[in-house]
Short mmCIF file of all heavy atoms in Angstrom, two decimals:
data_model
loop_
_atom_site.label_atom_id
_atom_site.label_comp_id
_atom_site.label_asym_id
_atom_site.label_seq_id
_atom_site.Cartn_x
_atom_site.Cartn_y
_atom_site.Cartn_z
N MET A 1325 114.59 105.75 -22.39
CA MET A 1325 114.76 104.54 -23.23
C MET A 1325 113.87 103.42 -22.71
O MET A 1325 113.74 103.23 -21.51
CB MET A 1325 116.24 104.13 -23.20
CG MET A 1325 116.62 103.11 -24.27
SD MET A 1325 116.69 103.87 -25.90
CE MET A 1325 117.38 102.52 -26.86
N ILE A 1326 113.29 102.73 -23.66
CA ILE A 1326 112.39 101.62 -23.32
C ILE A 1326 113.19 100.41 -22.83
O ILE A 1326 114.23 100.09 -23.37
CB ILE A 1326 111.58 101.22 -24.58
CG1 ILE A 1326 110.64 102.34 -25.01
CG2 ILE A 1326 110.83 99.92 -24.37
CD1 ILE A 1326 109.49 102.62 -24.08
N ASP A 1327 112.69 99.76 -21.82
CA ASP A 1327 113.28 98.51 -21.35
C ASP A 1327 112.66 97.36 -22.14
O ASP A 1327 111.55 96.92 -21.85
CB ASP A 1327 113.02 98.36 -19.85
CG ASP A 1327 113.56 97.03 -19.32
OD1 ASP A 1327 114.34 96.37 -20.05
OD2 ASP A 1327 113.21 96.67 -18.18
N ILE A 1328 113.39 96.90 -23.15
CA ILE A 1328 112.86 95.90 -24.07
C ILE A 1328 112.64 94.55 -23.39
O ILE A 1328 111.84 93.74 -23.84
CB ILE A 1328 113.80 95.76 -25.30
CG1 ILE A 1328 113.12 95.05 -26.48
CG2 ILE A 1328 115.09 95.04 -24.95
CD1 ILE A 1328 112.17 95.91 -27.26
N THR A 1329 113.31 94.34 -22.27
CA THR A 1329 113.19 93.05 -21.59
C THR A 1329 111.80 92.83 -21.00
O THR A 1329 111.41 91.71 -20.71
CB THR A 1329 114.23 92.89 -20.46
OG1 THR A 1329 114.03 93.92 -19.50
CG2 THR A 1329 115.64 92.97 -21.00
N GLN A 1330 111.05 93.91 -20.81
CA GLN A 1330 109.69 93.72 -20.27
C GLN A 1330 108.66 93.49 -21.38
O GLN A 1330 107.48 93.28 -21.10
CB GLN A 1330 109.27 94.90 -19.40
CG GLN A 1330 109.14 96.21 -20.14
CD GLN A 1330 108.63 97.31 -19.22
OE1 GLN A 1330 107.53 97.23 -18.71
NE2 GLN A 1330 109.45 98.33 -19.02
N VAL A 1331 109.13 93.51 -22.64
CA VAL A 1331 108.22 93.23 -23.75
C VAL A 1331 108.12 91.71 -23.94
O VAL A 1331 109.11 91.05 -24.20
CB VAL A 1331 108.73 93.90 -25.05
CG1 VAL A 1331 107.86 93.50 -26.23
CG2 VAL A 1331 108.74 95.41 -24.88
N LYS A 1332 106.92 91.20 -23.79
CA LYS A 1332 106.68 89.76 -23.90
C LYS A 1332 105.60 89.52 -24.96
O LYS A 1332 104.97 90.47 -25.43
CB LYS A 1332 106.20 89.20 -22.56
CG LYS A 1332 107.10 89.54 -21.37
CD LYS A 1332 107.79 88.30 -20.87
CE LYS A 1332 108.76 88.47 -19.72
NZ LYS A 1332 109.12 89.73 -19.20
N VAL A 1333 105.40 88.27 -25.29
CA VAL A 1333 104.33 87.91 -26.22
C VAL A 1333 103.00 88.45 -25.68
O VAL A 1333 102.75 88.40 -24.46
CB VAL A 1333 104.27 86.38 -26.40
CG1 VAL A 1333 103.03 85.96 -27.19
CG2 VAL A 1333 105.53 85.89 -27.11
N ASP A 1334 102.20 89.00 -26.58
CA ASP A 1334 100.89 89.60 -26.28
C ASP A 1334 100.96 91.02 -25.74
O ASP A 1334 99.94 91.65 -25.50
CB ASP A 1334 100.05 88.75 -25.31
CG ASP A 1334 99.46 87.52 -25.99
OD1 ASP A 1334 99.38 87.53 -27.23
OD2 ASP A 1334 99.08 86.58 -25.28
N THR A 1335 102.19 91.54 -25.55
CA THR A 1335 102.32 92.95 -25.16
C THR A 1335 101.89 93.83 -26.33
O THR A 1335 102.14 93.51 -27.49
CB THR A 1335 103.79 93.26 -24.82
OG1 THR A 1335 104.21 92.45 -23.73
CG2 THR A 1335 103.98 94.72 -24.43
N ILE A 1336 101.22 94.93 -26.02
CA ILE A 1336 100.83 95.91 -27.05
C ILE A 1336 101.81 97.07 -27.00
O ILE A 1336 102.05 97.65 -25.93
CB ILE A 1336 99.40 96.43 -26.81
CG1 ILE A 1336 98.39 95.28 -26.75
CG2 ILE A 1336 99.01 97.43 -27.90
CD1 ILE A 1336 98.22 94.48 -28.02
N LEU A 1337 102.40 97.39 -28.16
CA LEU A 1337 103.38 98.47 -28.26
C LEU A 1337 102.83 99.62 -29.08
O LEU A 1337 102.10 99.41 -30.04
CB LEU A 1337 104.65 97.96 -28.96
CG LEU A 1337 105.31 96.71 -28.39
CD1 LEU A 1337 106.44 96.27 -29.31
CD2 LEU A 1337 105.83 96.97 -27.00
N GLU A 1338 103.22 100.82 -28.71
CA GLU A 1338 102.91 101.98 -29.55
C GLU A 1338 104.21 102.47 -30.17
O GLU A 1338 105.17 102.75 -29.46
CB GLU A 1338 102.26 103.09 -28.73
CG GLU A 1338 101.83 104.27 -29.61
CD GLU A 1338 101.21 105.40 -28.81
OE1 GLU A 1338 100.42 105.14 -27.89
OE2 GLU A 1338 101.56 106.55 -29.10
N PHE A 1339 104.23 102.60 -31.50
CA PHE A 1339 105.41 103.07 -32.21
C PHE A 1339 105.35 104.58 -32.42
O PHE A 1339 104.29 105.20 -32.36
CB PHE A 1339 105.50 102.38 -33.58
CG PHE A 1339 106.19 101.03 -33.53
CD1 PHE A 1339 106.47 100.40 -32.33
CD2 PHE A 1339 106.54 100.39 -34.72
CE1 PHE A 1339 107.10 99.17 -32.30
CE2 PHE A 1339 107.17 99.15 -34.69
CZ PHE A 1339 107.45 98.53 -33.50
N LYS A 1340 106.53 105.15 -32.65
CA LYS A 1340 106.62 106.61 -32.88
C LYS A 1340 106.00 106.99 -34.22
O LYS A 1340 105.41 108.06 -34.36
CB LYS A 1340 108.09 107.04 -32.86
CG LYS A 1340 108.73 106.90 -31.49
CD LYS A 1340 110.23 107.07 -31.58
CE LYS A 1340 110.90 106.78 -30.24
NZ LYS A 1340 112.35 106.59 -30.37
N LYS A 1341 106.21 106.12 -35.22
CA LYS A 1341 105.69 106.42 -36.56
C LYS A 1341 104.59 105.42 -36.92
O LYS A 1341 104.67 104.25 -36.57
CB LYS A 1341 106.83 106.34 -37.58
CG LYS A 1341 107.80 107.48 -37.41
CD LYS A 1341 108.86 107.47 -38.49
CE LYS A 1341 109.82 108.64 -38.32
NZ LYS A 1341 111.04 108.50 -39.13
N PRO A 1342 103.58 105.89 -37.65
CA PRO A 1342 102.48 104.99 -37.99
C PRO A 1342 102.83 104.00 -39.10
O PRO A 1342 103.67 104.28 -39.94
CB PRO A 1342 101.38 105.95 -38.46
CG PRO A 1342 102.13 107.11 -39.01
CD PRO A 1342 103.38 107.24 -38.16
N HIS A 1343 102.14 102.88 -39.10
CA HIS A 1343 102.15 101.94 -40.21
C HIS A 1343 101.45 102.63 -41.38
O HIS A 1343 100.65 103.54 -41.15
CB HIS A 1343 101.36 100.70 -39.74
CG HIS A 1343 101.52 99.51 -40.61
ND1 HIS A 1343 100.45 98.77 -41.05
CD2 HIS A 1343 102.63 98.92 -41.11
CE1 HIS A 1343 100.91 97.76 -41.80
NE2 HIS A 1343 102.22 97.83 -41.84
N PRO A 1344 101.71 102.21 -42.63
CA PRO A 1344 100.99 102.81 -43.77
C PRO A 1344 99.47 102.80 -43.63
O PRO A 1344 98.78 103.66 -44.19
CB PRO A 1344 101.44 101.93 -44.95
CG PRO A 1344 102.80 101.48 -44.57
CD PRO A 1344 102.78 101.31 -43.07
N CYS A 1345 98.92 101.87 -42.85
CA CYS A 1345 97.47 101.82 -42.65
C CYS A 1345 96.99 102.89 -41.68
O CYS A 1345 95.80 103.10 -41.52
CB CYS A 1345 97.05 100.45 -42.14
SG CYS A 1345 97.44 100.16 -40.40
N GLY A 1346 97.93 103.55 -41.00
CA GLY A 1346 97.54 104.59 -40.05
C GLY A 1346 97.58 104.16 -38.59
O GLY A 1346 97.40 104.97 -37.70
N GLY A 1347 97.82 102.88 -38.37
CA GLY A 1347 97.84 102.37 -37.00
C GLY A 1347 99.19 102.59 -36.32
O GLY A 1347 100.23 102.48 -36.97
N TYR A 1348 99.14 102.85 -35.04
CA TYR A 1348 100.37 103.04 -34.27
C TYR A 1348 100.66 101.87 -33.33
O TYR A 1348 101.72 101.81 -32.74
CB TYR A 1348 100.26 104.31 -33.41
CG TYR A 1348 100.45 105.60 -34.16
CD1 TYR A 1348 99.39 106.21 -34.80
CD2 TYR A 1348 101.71 106.21 -34.21
CE1 TYR A 1348 99.55 107.40 -35.49
CE2 TYR A 1348 101.89 107.40 -34.89
CZ TYR A 1348 100.80 107.98 -35.54
OH TYR A 1348 100.97 109.16 -36.22
N THR A 1349 99.70 101.00 -33.17
CA THR A 1349 99.87 99.96 -32.16
C THR A 1349 100.11 98.58 -32.78
O THR A 1349 99.55 98.24 -33.82
CB THR A 1349 98.63 99.88 -31.25
OG1 THR A 1349 97.46 99.85 -32.06
CG2 THR A 1349 98.56 101.09 -30.32
N TRP A 1350 100.96 97.83 -32.09
CA TRP A 1350 101.38 96.51 -32.55
C TRP A 1350 101.29 95.52 -31.41
O TRP A 1350 101.61 95.84 -30.27
CB TRP A 1350 102.84 96.57 -33.05
CG TRP A 1350 103.02 97.47 -34.22
CD1 TRP A 1350 103.17 98.83 -34.20
CD2 TRP A 1350 103.05 97.08 -35.59
NE1 TRP A 1350 103.30 99.29 -35.49
CE2 TRP A 1350 103.24 98.25 -36.36
CE3 TRP A 1350 102.97 95.84 -36.26
CZ2 TRP A 1350 103.32 98.22 -37.75
CZ3 TRP A 1350 103.05 95.82 -37.64
CH2 TRP A 1350 103.22 97.00 -38.37
N LYS A 1351 100.88 94.31 -31.76
CA LYS A 1351 100.84 93.24 -30.79
C LYS A 1351 102.04 92.33 -31.01
O LYS A 1351 102.33 91.95 -32.16
CB LYS A 1351 99.54 92.45 -30.96
CG LYS A 1351 99.36 91.35 -29.95
CD LYS A 1351 98.00 90.68 -30.17
CE LYS A 1351 98.06 89.25 -29.70
NZ LYS A 1351 96.87 88.50 -30.10
N VAL A 1352 102.72 91.98 -29.94
CA VAL A 1352 103.91 91.13 -30.04
C VAL A 1352 103.50 89.67 -30.18
O VAL A 1352 102.77 89.14 -29.34
CB VAL A 1352 104.81 91.31 -28.80
CG1 VAL A 1352 106.02 90.39 -28.88
CG2 VAL A 1352 105.24 92.76 -28.65
N LEU A 1353 103.94 89.03 -31.27
CA LEU A 1353 103.65 87.62 -31.49
C LEU A 1353 104.82 86.75 -31.07
O LEU A 1353 104.65 85.61 -30.66
CB LEU A 1353 103.33 87.35 -32.97
CG LEU A 1353 102.14 88.09 -33.56
CD1 LEU A 1353 101.97 87.69 -35.02
CD2 LEU A 1353 100.86 87.81 -32.79
N ARG A 1354 106.04 87.28 -31.23
CA ARG A 1354 107.23 86.51 -30.88
C ARG A 1354 108.36 87.47 -30.51
O ARG A 1354 108.50 88.53 -31.12
CB ARG A 1354 107.65 85.65 -32.07
CG ARG A 1354 108.55 84.49 -31.67
CD ARG A 1354 108.72 83.51 -32.81
NE ARG A 1354 109.72 83.97 -33.75
CZ ARG A 1354 109.79 83.59 -35.04
NH1 ARG A 1354 108.89 82.77 -35.52
NH2 ARG A 1354 110.73 84.04 -35.81
N THR A 1355 109.13 87.10 -29.51
CA THR A 1355 110.30 87.90 -29.11
C THR A 1355 111.56 87.09 -29.36
O THR A 1355 111.51 85.90 -29.62
CB THR A 1355 110.23 88.28 -27.62
OG1 THR A 1355 110.21 87.10 -26.83
CG2 THR A 1355 109.00 89.11 -27.31
N GLY A 1356 112.71 87.76 -29.29
CA GLY A 1356 113.99 87.10 -29.53
C GLY A 1356 114.92 88.07 -30.21
O GLY A 1356 114.84 89.28 -29.99
N ILE A 1357 115.82 87.56 -31.07
CA ILE A 1357 116.71 88.45 -31.82
C ILE A 1357 115.88 89.29 -32.78
O ILE A 1357 116.12 90.47 -32.97
CB ILE A 1357 117.79 87.63 -32.58
CG1 ILE A 1357 118.67 86.90 -31.56
CG2 ILE A 1357 118.61 88.54 -33.47
CD1 ILE A 1357 119.57 85.86 -32.17
N ASP A 1358 114.91 88.63 -33.41
CA ASP A 1358 113.92 89.35 -34.21
C ASP A 1358 112.56 89.28 -33.52
O ASP A 1358 112.22 88.26 -32.92
CB ASP A 1358 113.80 88.73 -35.61
CG ASP A 1358 115.04 88.98 -36.43
OD1 ASP A 1358 115.47 90.14 -36.50
OD2 ASP A 1358 115.58 88.01 -36.99
N PHE A 1359 111.82 90.34 -33.63
CA PHE A 1359 110.48 90.39 -33.08
C PHE A 1359 109.47 90.23 -34.20
O PHE A 1359 109.65 90.77 -35.29
CB PHE A 1359 110.24 91.75 -32.39
CG PHE A 1359 110.78 91.81 -30.99
CD1 PHE A 1359 112.07 91.41 -30.70
CD2 PHE A 1359 109.99 92.29 -29.96
CE1 PHE A 1359 112.57 91.47 -29.41
CE2 PHE A 1359 110.47 92.35 -28.66
CZ PHE A 1359 111.76 91.94 -28.38
N LYS A 1360 108.42 89.49 -33.93
CA LYS A 1360 107.33 89.34 -34.88
C LYS A 1360 106.16 90.14 -34.30
O LYS A 1360 105.72 89.88 -33.17
CB LYS A 1360 106.97 87.86 -35.02
CG LYS A 1360 106.17 87.52 -36.25
CD LYS A 1360 106.11 86.00 -36.37
CE LYS A 1360 105.26 85.58 -37.54
NZ LYS A 1360 105.12 84.11 -37.59
N LEU A 1361 105.70 91.10 -35.07
CA LEU A 1361 104.66 92.01 -34.60
C LEU A 1361 103.47 92.01 -35.54
O LEU A 1361 103.63 91.93 -36.76
CB LEU A 1361 105.21 93.44 -34.51
CG LEU A 1361 106.48 93.66 -33.69
CD1 LEU A 1361 106.94 95.10 -33.84
CD2 LEU A 1361 106.27 93.32 -32.24
N GLU A 1362 102.28 92.12 -34.98
CA GLU A 1362 101.07 92.20 -35.77
C GLU A 1362 100.45 93.58 -35.58
O GLU A 1362 100.20 94.01 -34.45
CB GLU A 1362 100.09 91.12 -35.33
CG GLU A 1362 98.80 91.11 -36.16
CD GLU A 1362 97.79 90.13 -35.59
OE1 GLU A 1362 97.82 88.95 -35.96
OE2 GLU A 1362 96.98 90.56 -34.74
N CYS A 1363 100.19 94.26 -36.69
CA CYS A 1363 99.53 95.56 -36.62
C CYS A 1363 98.11 95.36 -36.08
O CYS A 1363 97.35 94.56 -36.61
CB CYS A 1363 99.50 96.20 -38.01
SG CYS A 1363 98.67 97.80 -38.02
N VAL A 1364 97.79 96.11 -35.03
CA VAL A 1364 96.47 95.94 -34.40
C VAL A 1364 95.36 96.37 -35.35
O VAL A 1364 94.28 95.79 -35.38
CB VAL A 1364 96.41 96.74 -33.08
CG1 VAL A 1364 95.00 96.76 -32.51
CG2 VAL A 1364 97.38 96.15 -32.04
N LYS A 1365 95.65 97.37 -36.17
CA LYS A 1365 94.61 97.92 -37.04
C LYS A 1365 94.35 97.07 -38.29
O LYS A 1365 93.21 96.78 -38.61
CB LYS A 1365 95.00 99.35 -37.45
CG LYS A 1365 93.89 100.09 -38.12
CD LYS A 1365 94.22 101.56 -38.27
CE LYS A 1365 93.06 102.28 -38.95
NZ LYS A 1365 93.37 103.69 -39.18
N CYS A 1366 95.42 96.68 -38.99
CA CYS A 1366 95.23 95.99 -40.27
C CYS A 1366 95.64 94.51 -40.23
O CYS A 1366 95.51 93.82 -41.23
CB CYS A 1366 95.95 96.71 -41.40
SG CYS A 1366 97.75 96.57 -41.35
N SER A 1367 96.17 94.07 -39.08
CA SER A 1367 96.54 92.66 -38.88
C SER A 1367 97.72 92.19 -39.72
O SER A 1367 97.97 90.99 -39.80
CB SER A 1367 95.35 91.72 -39.10
OG SER A 1367 94.34 92.01 -38.17
N ARG A 1368 98.43 93.10 -40.36
CA ARG A 1368 99.63 92.70 -41.10
C ARG A 1368 100.72 92.31 -40.10
O ARG A 1368 100.88 92.94 -39.07
CB ARG A 1368 100.10 93.84 -41.99
CG ARG A 1368 101.32 93.44 -42.78
CD ARG A 1368 101.35 93.82 -44.24
NE ARG A 1368 100.07 94.09 -44.86
CZ ARG A 1368 99.96 94.84 -45.94
NH1 ARG A 1368 101.01 95.40 -46.49
NH2 ARG A 1368 98.79 95.04 -46.49
N VAL A 1369 101.48 91.26 -40.47
CA VAL A 1369 102.55 90.78 -39.59
C VAL A 1369 103.91 91.17 -40.18
O VAL A 1369 104.14 91.02 -41.37
CB VAL A 1369 102.46 89.25 -39.41
CG1 VAL A 1369 103.66 88.71 -38.63
CG2 VAL A 1369 101.15 88.88 -38.70
N ILE A 1370 104.78 91.71 -39.34
CA ILE A 1370 106.12 92.07 -39.77
C ILE A 1370 107.16 91.41 -38.88
O ILE A 1370 106.88 91.07 -37.73
CB ILE A 1370 106.35 93.61 -39.74
CG1 ILE A 1370 106.20 94.18 -38.32
CG2 ILE A 1370 105.42 94.32 -40.72
CD1 ILE A 1370 106.78 95.57 -38.16
N MET A 1371 108.36 91.23 -39.45
CA MET A 1371 109.52 90.80 -38.67
C MET A 1371 110.44 92.00 -38.57
O MET A 1371 110.73 92.65 -39.56
CB MET A 1371 110.25 89.65 -39.37
CG MET A 1371 109.47 88.36 -39.39
SD MET A 1371 109.43 87.53 -37.78
CE MET A 1371 111.11 86.90 -37.70
N ILE A 1372 110.92 92.27 -37.38
CA ILE A 1372 111.74 93.46 -37.16
C ILE A 1372 112.78 93.11 -36.10
O ILE A 1372 112.48 92.37 -35.16
CB ILE A 1372 110.83 94.65 -36.75
CG1 ILE A 1372 111.62 95.90 -36.41
CG2 ILE A 1372 109.89 94.30 -35.63
CD1 ILE A 1372 110.75 97.11 -36.16
N SER A 1373 114.00 93.62 -36.28
CA SER A 1373 115.06 93.26 -35.33
C SER A 1373 114.79 93.86 -33.96
O SER A 1373 114.06 94.85 -33.82
CB SER A 1373 116.42 93.74 -35.85
OG SER A 1373 116.53 95.13 -35.70
N ARG A 1374 115.37 93.23 -32.97
CA ARG A 1374 115.21 93.68 -31.58
C ARG A 1374 115.65 95.14 -31.44
O ARG A 1374 114.98 95.94 -30.79
CB ARG A 1374 116.08 92.77 -30.71
CG ARG A 1374 115.94 92.96 -29.23
CD ARG A 1374 116.97 92.07 -28.53
NE ARG A 1374 116.86 92.18 -27.10
CZ ARG A 1374 116.06 91.41 -26.35
NH1 ARG A 1374 115.32 90.48 -26.91
NH2 ARG A 1374 116.01 91.58 -25.06
N LEU A 1375 116.77 95.48 -32.09
CA LEU A 1375 117.29 96.85 -31.99
C LEU A 1375 116.33 97.85 -32.63
O LEU A 1375 116.04 98.90 -32.06
CB LEU A 1375 118.67 96.92 -32.67
CG LEU A 1375 119.36 98.28 -32.61
CD1 LEU A 1375 119.66 98.68 -31.16
CD2 LEU A 1375 120.65 98.26 -33.42
N ASP A 1376 115.82 97.52 -33.82
CA ASP A 1376 114.87 98.42 -34.49
C ASP A 1376 113.58 98.56 -33.68
O ASP A 1376 113.00 99.64 -33.61
CB ASP A 1376 114.55 97.93 -35.90
CG ASP A 1376 115.61 98.34 -36.90
OD1 ASP A 1376 116.39 99.26 -36.60
OD2 ASP A 1376 115.66 97.74 -37.99
N THR A 1377 113.16 97.46 -33.08
CA THR A 1377 111.96 97.53 -32.24
C THR A 1377 112.18 98.53 -31.10
O THR A 1377 111.34 99.39 -30.83
CB THR A 1377 111.63 96.14 -31.65
OG1 THR A 1377 111.54 95.20 -32.72
CG2 THR A 1377 110.31 96.16 -30.89
N THR A 1378 113.34 98.40 -30.45
CA THR A 1378 113.67 99.29 -29.33
C THR A 1378 113.64 100.75 -29.77
O THR A 1378 113.10 101.61 -29.07
CB THR A 1378 115.08 98.94 -28.79
OG1 THR A 1378 115.13 97.55 -28.51
CG2 THR A 1378 115.37 99.72 -27.51
N LYS A 1379 114.19 101.01 -30.95
CA LYS A 1379 114.25 102.39 -31.46
C LYS A 1379 112.87 102.94 -31.80
O LYS A 1379 112.62 104.13 -31.68
CB LYS A 1379 115.11 102.44 -32.73
CG LYS A 1379 116.59 102.35 -32.48
CD LYS A 1379 117.31 102.45 -33.83
CE LYS A 1379 118.78 102.17 -33.71
NZ LYS A 1379 119.36 101.90 -35.06
N ARG A 1380 111.99 102.06 -32.27
CA ARG A 1380 110.69 102.54 -32.77
C ARG A 1380 109.62 102.69 -31.70
O ARG A 1380 108.62 103.38 -31.92
CB ARG A 1380 110.18 101.57 -33.85
CG ARG A 1380 111.00 101.66 -35.11
CD ARG A 1380 110.35 100.86 -36.21
NE ARG A 1380 111.30 100.59 -37.27
CZ ARG A 1380 110.98 100.07 -38.45
NH1 ARG A 1380 109.74 99.75 -38.71
NH2 ARG A 1380 111.89 99.86 -39.35
N ILE A 1381 109.81 102.04 -30.58
CA ILE A 1381 108.77 102.08 -29.55
C ILE A 1381 108.66 103.46 -28.93
O ILE A 1381 109.65 104.05 -28.52
CB ILE A 1381 109.04 101.04 -28.43
CG1 ILE A 1381 108.92 99.62 -28.97
CG2 ILE A 1381 108.05 101.24 -27.27
CD1 ILE A 1381 109.41 98.57 -27.98
N LYS A 1382 107.44 103.96 -28.89
CA LYS A 1382 107.18 105.18 -28.14
C LYS A 1382 106.82 104.84 -26.71
O LYS A 1382 107.33 105.42 -25.77
CB LYS A 1382 106.05 105.97 -28.81
CG LYS A 1382 105.83 107.32 -28.21
CD LYS A 1382 104.71 108.05 -28.97
CE LYS A 1382 104.39 109.38 -28.31
NZ LYS A 1382 103.11 109.91 -28.80
N LYS A 1383 105.92 103.89 -26.58
CA LYS A 1383 105.62 103.40 -25.23
C LYS A 1383 105.03 102.00 -25.27
O LYS A 1383 104.51 101.56 -26.30
CB LYS A 1383 104.69 104.36 -24.49
CG LYS A 1383 103.31 104.49 -25.10
CD LYS A 1383 102.48 105.46 -24.28
CE LYS A 1383 101.14 105.72 -24.95
NZ LYS A 1383 100.37 106.75 -24.27
N ILE A 1384 105.13 101.35 -24.13
CA ILE A 1384 104.53 100.04 -23.96
C ILE A 1384 103.15 100.27 -23.35
O ILE A 1384 103.03 100.81 -22.25
CB ILE A 1384 105.41 99.15 -23.06
CG1 ILE A 1384 106.76 98.92 -23.73
CG2 ILE A 1384 104.69 97.83 -22.77
CD1 ILE A 1384 107.81 98.32 -22.81
N ILE A 1385 102.12 99.90 -24.11
CA ILE A 1385 100.76 100.19 -23.67
C ILE A 1385 100.26 99.19 -22.65
O ILE A 1385 99.63 99.53 -21.68
CB ILE A 1385 99.81 100.23 -24.90
CG1 ILE A 1385 100.19 101.42 -25.77
CG2 ILE A 1385 98.36 100.31 -24.45
CD1 ILE A 1385 99.31 101.59 -26.98
N GLU A 1386 100.56 97.93 -22.91
CA GLU A 1386 99.98 96.90 -22.06
C GLU A 1386 100.96 95.74 -21.93
O GLU A 1386 101.47 95.25 -22.92
CB GLU A 1386 98.69 96.42 -22.72
CG GLU A 1386 97.85 95.52 -21.86
CD GLU A 1386 96.62 95.04 -22.62
OE1 GLU A 1386 96.22 95.70 -23.59
OE2 GLU A 1386 96.08 94.01 -22.23
N VAL A 1387 101.23 95.35 -20.72
CA VAL A 1387 102.08 94.19 -20.47
C VAL A 1387 101.23 93.14 -19.78
O VAL A 1387 100.71 93.36 -18.70
CB VAL A 1387 103.30 94.54 -19.60
CG1 VAL A 1387 104.14 93.31 -19.34
CG2 VAL A 1387 104.13 95.64 -20.25
N LYS A 1388 101.08 92.02 -20.46
CA LYS A 1388 100.31 90.93 -19.88
C LYS A 1388 101.18 90.15 -18.91
O LYS A 1388 102.29 89.77 -19.25
CB LYS A 1388 99.81 89.99 -21.00
CG LYS A 1388 98.76 90.64 -21.89
CD LYS A 1388 97.39 90.05 -21.62
CE LYS A 1388 96.31 90.76 -22.39
NZ LYS A 1388 96.33 90.38 -23.80
N GLU A 1389 100.66 89.91 -17.76
CA GLU A 1389 101.39 89.08 -16.78
C GLU A 1389 101.30 87.63 -17.21
O GLU A 1389 100.26 87.17 -17.67
CB GLU A 1389 100.77 89.24 -15.39
CG GLU A 1389 100.84 90.65 -14.84
CD GLU A 1389 102.27 91.14 -14.67
OE1 GLU A 1389 103.14 90.31 -14.31
OE2 GLU A 1389 102.53 92.33 -14.89
N SER A 1390 102.40 86.91 -17.07
CA SER A 1390 102.37 85.50 -17.47
C SER A 1390 102.56 84.62 -16.24
O SER A 1390 102.95 85.07 -15.20
CB SER A 1390 103.46 85.22 -18.49
OG SER A 1390 104.70 85.61 -18.00
ZN1 ZN B 1161 98.72 98.38 -40.22
#
């Protein structure tokens, strides 16, 4: 299980299932109860609940130190 607490703004996430554009990676724009994510490939922005984010993550690709 992914540790969602290490996901911060600017972290790159890889999801289990692709976006309709074919991209698997998302950049975190905002964290909290809902997460705001930007598709790295097509730049579309989505809002997704913290729980759904946790379920969808396959791995955390990059964690930026703050
Ligand atoms: Zn996309």
Side-chain angles (χ1 to χ4, degrees):
M1325 194 73 172
I1326 294 291
D1327 178 13
I1328 196 78
T1329 60
Q1330 65 176 297
V1331 175
K1332 307 249 178 354
V1333 171
D1334 284 341
T1335 299
I1336 304 295
L1337 306 174
E1338 184 181 318
F1339 275 11
K1340 293 169 186 165
K1341 290 184 179 167
H1343 194 228
C1345 75
Y1348 283 86
T1349 49
W1350 297 83
K1351 183 177 153 190
V1352 178
L1353 300 181
R1354 200 169 82 203
T1355 60
I1357 297 168
D1358 291 310
F1359 277 49
K1360 198 170 177 184
L1361 306 174
E1362 182 186 272
C1363 179
V1364 172
K1365 191 169 180 183
C1366 71
S1367 298
R1368 181 136 338 157
V1369 173
I1370 61 164
M1371 291 286 286
I1372 176 174
S1373 75
R1374 187 185 182 89
L1375 182 63
D1376 278 342
T1377 306
T1378 308
K1379 284 182 189 164
R1380 290 189 198 190
I1381 293 170
K1382 187 178 175 195
K1383 65 180 174 186
I1384 297 167
I1385 293 182
E1386 190 182 338
V1387 179
K1388 292 253 175 75
E1389 297 298 325
S1390 55

